[in-house]
Amino acid sequence: MSSSEDIKKRINFFKAAISLLLILALLFNLYVLIKRLIDKNNLESEIEEINDVIGIEQPRNENIAVNSSPDEPNTDYFNYLKISADSVDIKKLKRINSDTVGFLSISGTNINYPVVQSADNKFYLNHSFKKASNSSGWLFMDYRNNSESFGKNTIIYGHSNLDKTMLGSLSNVKSEEWRKNPLNGKIKFVNLSGITNWKIISVYTIPAESYYIKTDFKSSESFKNWLGEISKRSLYDFGYEISSDDKIMTFSTCYKDNGDIRLVVHAKKI
């Protein structure tokens, strides 16, 4: 075989290999897209069922979703969650998922969801409210926390989805204009005991760490030092005094689709 024929065969082989790789990459991207669409549709169905169980009929295809701005995407997903925290019955939600521990609403965001809690902090990273496999996950409380009495630091996690679902709109808190609106940032957490109210005291971004998600403090002084640190980290001074007698609720999510950076918001119970 001549050297020129050998070279041609090698070139044809490499061309075929590259073509195969491109086809495989295309098929993989298509699979990811289809899976995301299926996950989104499954979440919409679940949220519609939540509304049915609660007994509230919600109009579809309205122009503006609850707690959102006109700039944000308008989908059925947002419309399903036009539930007033004041009317939520946790017992009814627990009929859908016994892991339900509360319902969270933050004004000025799209955060208006049931909150679940499992035996670990992993399950609901890739499971929906009905415990189906879903990459969008769900809002969940740290397994170390007590959802009724709360502790010194109660932590709620969730994905920062690009379509602003779950904790995707929590980044609104970083905006100075958002912060100036007195209607924004009012937090309600409904549990079996009733409605609790919270107000935001700190917001910042930070590389992934365990310090801000501490739940056990050896002394009042230790907790006081922790409060001082999370206050010092804040991008803004929210003007609220905090003391070692306060109870804190912490929200943690990835920032701008970066798995190494966390967006953290702290609020205190009032």
Side-chain angles (χ1 to χ4, degrees):
M1 183 182 294
S2 67
S3 60
S4 62
E5 290 179 347
D6 186 50
I7 291 173
K8 285 182 180 180
K9 283 189 175 183
R10 289 185 181 182
I11 291 174
N12 290 335
F13 173 78
F14 284 121
K15 285 182 177 179
I18 292 172
S19 298
L20 179 61
L21 288 174
L22 289 174
I23 291 172
L24 289 175
L26 179 62
L27 289 174
F28 177 76
N29 288 331
L30 183 61
Y31 164 77
V32 171
L33 177 61
I34 291 174
K35 188 176 186 305
R36 285 181 178 176
L37 289 173
I38 291 173
D39 286 348
K40 180 177 179 294
N41 288 334
N42 287 340
L43 278 177
E44 289 180 355
S45 297
E46 288 191 17
I47 292 168
E48 188 170 20
E49 182 174 342
I50 291 170
N51 283 347
D52 290 340
V53 170
I54 292 175
I56 301 176
E57 294 184 359
Q58 301 301 336
R60 299 177 65 170
N61 300 320
E62 294 185 0
N63 293 324
I64 301 176
V66 69
N67 291 337
S68 69
S69 71
D71 299 331
E72 294 173 348
N74 176 49
T75 67
D76 286 342
Y77 186 90
F78 295 96
N79 290 330
Y80 285 143
L81 285 180
K82 293 182 177 179
I83 300 173
S84 169
D86 298 327
S87 64
V88 168
D89 186 338
I90 301 301
K91 291 181 180 178
K92 290 183 177 180
L93 289 173
K94 287 179 78 69
R95 294 174 192 168
I96 301 176
N97 185 345
S98 59
D99 288 345
T100 304
V101 293
F103 189 94
L104 174 69
S105 180
I106 303 179
S107 62
T109 74
N110 288 317
I111 301 168
N112 201 63
Y113 304 101
V115 177
V116 291
Q117 185 180 43
S118 69
D120 58 43
N121 287 339
K122 296 179 180 179
F123 183 79
Y124 284 104
L125 286 172
N126 52 19
H127 286 81
S128 68
F129 184 65
K130 293 177 68 177
K131 300 186 179 181
S133 179
N134 196 306
S135 60
S136 293
W138 202 262
L139 297 193
F140 62 96
M141 183 178 289
D142 195 297
Y143 72 94
R144 299 169 294 174
N145 290 139
N146 186 310
S147 62
E148 291 298 308
S149 61
F150 304 106
K152 288 296 186 182
N153 185 28
T154 300
I155 307 129
I156 294 177
Y157 307 91
H159 288 308
S160 182
N161 294 332
L162 294 177
D163 62 357
K164 299 295 184 179
T165 56
M166 296 294 104
L167 292 183
S169 59
L170 189 65
S171 58
N172 292 1
V173 181
K174 287 181 78 270
S175 165
E176 186 172 0
E177 290 302 314
W178 182 93
R179 182 178 60 86
K180 289 178 179 179
N181 186 339
L183 298 178
N184 289 339
K186 294 180 180 179
I187 300 174
K188 290 185 178 182
F189 187 86
V190 187
N191 56 20
L192 289 171
S193 301
I195 299 176
T196 57
N197 294 283
W198 307 71
K199 56 188 178 185
I200 295 172
I201 59 170
S202 177
V203 56
Y204 54 90
T205 57
I206 196 167
E209 59 161 37
S210 60
Y211 183 77
Y212 71 86
I213 54 173
K214 287 181 64 174
T215 59
D216 185 25
F217 299 89
K218 295 181 179 179
S219 65
S220 177
E221 188 65 24
S222 173
F223 182 55
K224 184 177 180 180
N225 291 337
W226 183 85
L227 289 172
E229 178 61 26
I230 65 169
S231 297
K232 185 171 64 176
R233 292 178 176 184
S234 183
L235 297 172
Y236 305 108
D237 179 1
F238 287 86
Y240 298 127
E241 293 184 2
I242 50 177
S243 72
S244 55
D245 294 326
D246 285 322
K247 293 187 175 183
I248 303 300
M249 183 171 285
T250 295
F251 304 95
S252 176
T253 189
C254 291
Y255 183 60
K256 290 187 176 179
D257 206 27
N258 188 328
D260 296 325
I261 303 296
R262 298 290 181 267
L263 171 64
V264 182
V265 172
H266 299 284
K268 80 171 202 172
K269 188 172 181 288
I270 56 175

